[in-house]
Amino acid sequence: SGARHAPPFDAMAAEAKYAAEEPPIKAWAAMEKGGAVVPWEYAPAPLAAAEVEIDVLHCGVCFTDADLVDDTFGWSTYPMVPGHEVVGRVTRVGTAVRELALGDVVGVGPQRCCCLVCRDCMSGRENMCARRHDTAETSTYGTSQPIFRGWADRLRVPANFAFKLPAALDPVAAGPLMCAGVTVWEPLATHARAGSRVGVIGIGGLGH
């Protein structure tokens, strides 16, 4: 069978969506600790200059999502919208964004932002930043509302953590690469060398 591709982008339809009144984001949320995930809507904070909005095409399911719903880590707030293995299409671009354009298909993973000035950030290891913040966490972290995630029809994220996907990459399969995939990639990039013999142990996403 042929490779799957994201549906075509209709710029006029995307613009018309916001012409009159900005619609709420439709999501799936747990309303209480351990509760069922149910349909829910919320009004997003204004799009920041360095952010993009994406129409969510696909979003994976990670065990961390269950942990967030169940408040395993002790810092969940509710309503809780899970989802951090996101593939979507850019439909709005903040005024300071240069690296992404309307219609780009992007992946969004667990990390939402970082400080951009520490030693790890300056050496290309933003994932090790002590001030990093994750889409898999709950915090306002400079926004006017808690962070809601990718089990929704739309999502707003900083543009430097929305990664343009190659056209040949199946968008359905790309979601798990944004979480489990980078979990495996980090130790490989850090410790493996040309000629290394390695094994990837894991069921599901880690072996993706």
Side-chain angles (χ1 to χ4, degrees):
S1 61
R4 292 173 288 189
H5 300 281
F9 176 61
D10 187 335
M12 293 183 64
E15 187 67 27
K17 183 191 300 184
Y18 301 98
E21 181 178 347
E22 184 169 353
I25 290 179
K26 298 179 180 179
W28 288 85
M31 309 307 290
E32 60 185 2
K33 178 178 178 179
V37 178
V38 297
W40 179 66
E41 296 184 358
Y42 69 93
L47 187 72
E51 289 185 332
V52 294
E53 180 174 298
I54 66 174
D55 279 353
V56 176
L57 302 175
H58 310 283
C59 187
V61 179
C62 176
F63 197 82
T64 302
D65 296 320
D67 286 328
L68 289 170
V69 170
D70 293 340
D71 196 20
T72 301
F73 307 120
W75 38 249
S76 293
T77 61
Y78 302 89
M80 164 63 65
V81 179
H84 57 271
E85 297 179 340
V86 186
V87 174
R89 189 187 294 279
V90 175
T91 55
R92 298 184 71 189
V93 177
T95 56
V97 176
R98 301 291 180 267
E99 63 271 29
L100 294 173
L102 294 177
D104 285 347
V105 177
V106 298
V108 177
Q111 188 168 359
R112 180 181 176 85
C113 56
C114 60
C115 76
L116 297 176
V117 296
C118 70
R119 179 181 300 177
D120 284 320
C121 285
M122 297 300 289
S123 62
R125 293 171 58 85
E126 296 94 332
N127 61 306
M128 301 300 292
C129 175
R131 296 184 61 201
R132 61 169 283 172
H133 182 70
D134 294 348
T135 55
E137 294 178 359
T138 300
S139 171
T140 57
Y141 199 81
T143 73
S144 60
Q145 65 182 194
I147 302 302
F148 300 123
R149 300 159 197 81
W151 288 9
D153 62 344
R154 291 153 44 219
L155 181 65
R156 292 182 177 180
V157 294
N160 57 341
F161 284 97
F163 302 97
K164 186 174 180 179
L165 300 182
L169 182 61
D170 180 356
V172 176
L177 295 177
M178 305 310 300
C179 177
V182 296
T183 299
V184 174
W185 167 253
E186 168 62 22
L188 286 175
T190 301
H191 302 292
R193 301 292 182 268
S196 296
R197 297 184 65 185
V198 301
V200 177
I201 301 174
I203 299 174
L206 292 180
H208 187 76

